[in-house]
């Protein structure tokens, strides 16, 4: 089995590549543009494997994708490549729409013409939008997107589904909840808060911090995607949740406790525009069809993640040395600090 993985130099894609090389006999071709979020250091443990190779390129580049499929003849595609951050999508929506919508279309169309046997499109619970408690989204729940990022993922999900309905292409869609773990770029909540805490810098919590997310350890997510690749039914959507919902402020407090830092590092700042209050989803379908379940308990995964960031300060310094500082200033520089009584 040969798998074309897109976005395999990013956070989740690289964990998936490490899983395929480490625990299966599959061959992997990794197509990645190496944007700010793509990092070859994430793939050091597999780069010398003769079952692995990387192609640097853009999923929006038709000629590159078409010739790559003709040359490599993969049996399956697992599509992770995306602009994946909500805050960046608010500041600059264009690359998000281009990669997530047009890039997904390019891959689907090239895969259809090449007759690819299986196509797993990796998506997110954010496409269901904000849910009132105690609601949980099943796969039938309507799409209700809020940010340019979630809208781009919802749009690409619909495109992926249309390739099954119209062309009977064997497409499967996975929708996972918020991931955390080693190698995550420090722009998302958990790695940003860990790396700021370790450096005794303020922890910027948006608004009151009572927004709820369901946390899934990255390796559990990857095992779920592998289960869908191997056992998923064509045309189906599969939710993958961590079964651990927490308000952001609790996650931040846990990080402070585990890093031994004081709570006065917390700084409530102006909320994200269009901020979804609560995500929640049911993964019953994938669990009953494949036996998959999230195995890593949140406190265990969080401890492991903090240890990884402590031990990999050089990795953090490297990924922050590029355009990160300009992004940080653009996203956080203009936010007011909220007084305790107003949050
Ligand atoms: P990431 O930002 O860490 O990595 C994205 C990767 O895609 C990078 O290696 C980047 O170089 C590559 N890429 C970006 N644009 C590209 C292009 N035009 N052509 C080729 N490669 C390109 O993202 P992630 O957090 O690993 O997320 C991976 C996938 O999982 C995304 O589709 C995302 O929507 C989805 N997802 C993420 C989460 C999460 O919590 N991070 C949760 C659910 C679903
Ligand atoms: P994030 O990791 O960006 O994931 P998503 O927006 O895709 O869920 O954010 C997770 C939650 O943490 C979300 O409610 C926004 C919040 N958040 C902050 O409060 N401060 C921050 O600096 C960041 C990056 C996120």
């Amino acid at each position: 089995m040969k798998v074309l993985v897109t976005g395999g130099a990013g956070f989740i894609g690289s964990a998936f590549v490490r899983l395929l090389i480490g625990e299966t006999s599959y061959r992997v071709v990794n197509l990645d543009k190496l944007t700010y979020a793509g990092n070859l250091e994430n793939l050091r443990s597999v780069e010398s494997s003769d079952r692995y190779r990387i192609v640097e390129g853009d999923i929006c580049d038709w000629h590159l994708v078409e010739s790559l499929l003709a040359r490599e003849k993969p049996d399956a595609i697992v599509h992770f490549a995306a602009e994946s951050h909500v805050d960046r999508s608010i500041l600059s929506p264009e690359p998000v729409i281009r990669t997530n919508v047009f890039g997904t279309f390019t891959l689907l169309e090239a895969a259809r013409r090449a007759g690819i046997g299986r196509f797993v499109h990796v998506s997110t619970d954010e496409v269901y939008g904000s849910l009132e408690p105690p609601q949980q989204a099943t796969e039938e729940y309507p799409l209700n997107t809020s940010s340019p990022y979630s809208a781009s993922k919802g749009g690409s999900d619909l495109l992926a589904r249309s390739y099954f309905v119209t062309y009977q292409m064997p497409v499967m869609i996975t929708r996972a909840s918020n991931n955390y773990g080693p190698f995550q770029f420090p722009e998302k909540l958990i790695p940003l808060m860990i790396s700021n805490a370790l450096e005794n810098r303020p922890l910027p919590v948006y608004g009151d911090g009572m927004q709820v997310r369901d946390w899934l350890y990255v390796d559990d997510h990857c095992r779920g995607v592998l289960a869908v690749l191997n056992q998923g039914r064509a045309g189906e959507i599969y939710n993958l949740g961590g079964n651990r919902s927490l308000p952001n402020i609790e996650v931040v407090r846990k990080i402070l406790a585990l890093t031994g830092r004081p709570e006065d590092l917390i700084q409530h700042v102006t909320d994200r525009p269009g901020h979804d209050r609560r995500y929640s989803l049911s993964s019953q379908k994938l669990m009953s069809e494949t036996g998959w379940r999230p195995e890593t308990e949140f406190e265990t995964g969080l401890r492991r993640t903090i240890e990884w960031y402590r031990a990999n300060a050089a990795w953090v310094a490297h990924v922050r040395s590029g355009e990160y500082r300009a992004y940080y200033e653009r996203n956080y520089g203009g936010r007011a600090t909220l007084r305790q009584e107003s949050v």
Side-chain angles (χ1 to χ4, degrees):
M1 172 99 151
K2 187 192 267 190
V3 184
L4 175 69
V5 175
T6 71
F11 164 51
I12 307 170
S14 67
F16 188 70
V17 171
R18 294 192 300 272
L19 174 70
L20 290 191
I21 296 299
E23 293 181 29
T24 74
S25 56
Y26 297 173
R27 284 176 293 157
V28 176
V29 179
N30 175 9
L31 172 60
D32 199 297
K33 188 180 174 184
L34 299 181
T35 67
Y36 77 93
N39 186 348
L40 295 178
E41 288 171 36
N42 304 357
L43 295 157
R44 287 280 176 261
S45 64
V46 299
E47 66 186 8
S48 60
S49 167
D50 58 7
R51 289 187 288 118
Y52 170 76
R53 72 189 216 84
I54 181 150
V55 175
E56 186 177 341
D58 190 332
I59 56 165
C60 301
D61 180 342
W62 170 259
H63 293 294
L64 176 120
V65 173
E66 191 188 35
S67 60
L68 183 66
L69 294 187
R71 195 174 63 241
E72 296 287 347
K73 298 186 177 39
D75 303 289
I77 296 178
V78 182
H79 173 36
F80 291 95
E83 288 291 336
S84 68
H85 189 36
V86 172
D87 290 321
R88 285 186 191 253
S89 86
I90 294 169
L91 294 170
S92 312
E94 195 273 338
V96 179
I97 305 306
R98 204 178 72 84
T99 285
N100 299 5
V101 181
F102 188 70
T104 300
F105 160 70
T106 305
L107 271 178
L108 285 165
E109 180 58 12
R112 176 177 80 86
R113 295 195 196 181
I116 298 297
R118 284 174 94 67
F119 189 114
V120 181
H121 172 65
V122 177
S123 189
T124 164
D125 64 353
E126 300 197 23
V127 298
Y128 300 123
S130 202
L131 281 85
E132 287 297 323
Q135 248 176 355
Q136 280 200 319
T138 63
E139 289 78 0
E140 284 77 44
Y141 200 84
L143 303 193
N144 182 24
T145 57
S146 306
S147 69
Y149 166 69
S150 59
S152 73
K153 294 299 288 188
S156 63
D157 286 16
L158 293 174
L159 260 176
R161 185 160 163 69
S162 78
Y163 270 69
F164 170 72
V165 176
T166 306
Y167 305 113
Q168 292 81 51
M169 202 171 112
V171 177
M172 286 142 291
I173 297 170
T174 61
R175 291 183 179 149
S177 62
N178 285 64
N179 280 220
Y180 70 103
F183 297 103
Q184 187 169 28
F185 194 85
E187 64 188 356
K188 307 272 170 50
L189 179 76
I190 287 185
L192 185 133
M193 298 299 169
I194 294 175
S195 50
N196 281 14
L198 290 176
E199 294 171 15
N200 293 300
R201 294 197 292 133
L203 273 48
V205 171
Y206 295 159
D208 62 5
M210 291 306 291
Q211 305 84 3
V212 171
R213 297 293 185 266
D214 172 11
W215 292 100
L216 174 64
Y217 193 66
V218 63
D219 293 343
D220 286 339
H221 182 189
C222 290
R223 266 191 288 277
V225 173
L226 183 57
V228 172
L229 173 64
N230 289 334
Q231 305 170 59
R233 288 180 293 129
E236 294 296 319
I237 299 167
Y238 294 96
N239 287 346
L240 293 89
N243 199 24
R244 186 64 192 272
S245 291
L246 287 169
N248 295 335
I249 192 74
E250 270 189 42
V251 173
V252 170
R253 289 203 179 108
K254 281 178 192 293
I255 291 171
L256 288 172
L258 289 168
T259 50
R261 300 299 193 268
E263 291 215 350
D264 60 13
L265 281 182
I266 294 174
Q267 204 169 69
H268 288 271
V269 298
T270 313
D271 207 349
R272 173 190 278 173
H275 199 168
D276 283 333
R277 201 73 186 157
R278 174 177 174 271
Y279 298 141
S280 181
L281 81 180
S282 160
S283 321
Q284 206 49 53
K285 178 174 168 182
L286 184 66
M287 295 200 285
S288 60
E289 284 191 24
T290 69
W292 173 85
R293 61 183 186 83
E295 284 168 15
T296 312
E297 209 231 333
F298 184 67
E299 281 69 16
T300 310
L302 190 60
R303 224 174 257 123
R304 202 181 290 160
T305 305
I306 290 172
E307 280 322 305
W308 189 88
Y309 280 86
R310 259 194 223 283
N312 289 277
W315 183 93
V316 175
H318 183 203
V319 299
R320 276 176 166 177
S321 63
E323 52 77 72
Y324 183 81
R325 245 174 261 163
Y327 161 73
Y328 203 90
E329 180 51 33
R330 224 179 135 205
N331 192 47
Y332 295 97
R335 283 179 201 266
T337 302
L338 307 175
R339 292 213 316 272
Q340 201 54 43
E341 54 276 20
S342 67
V343 297

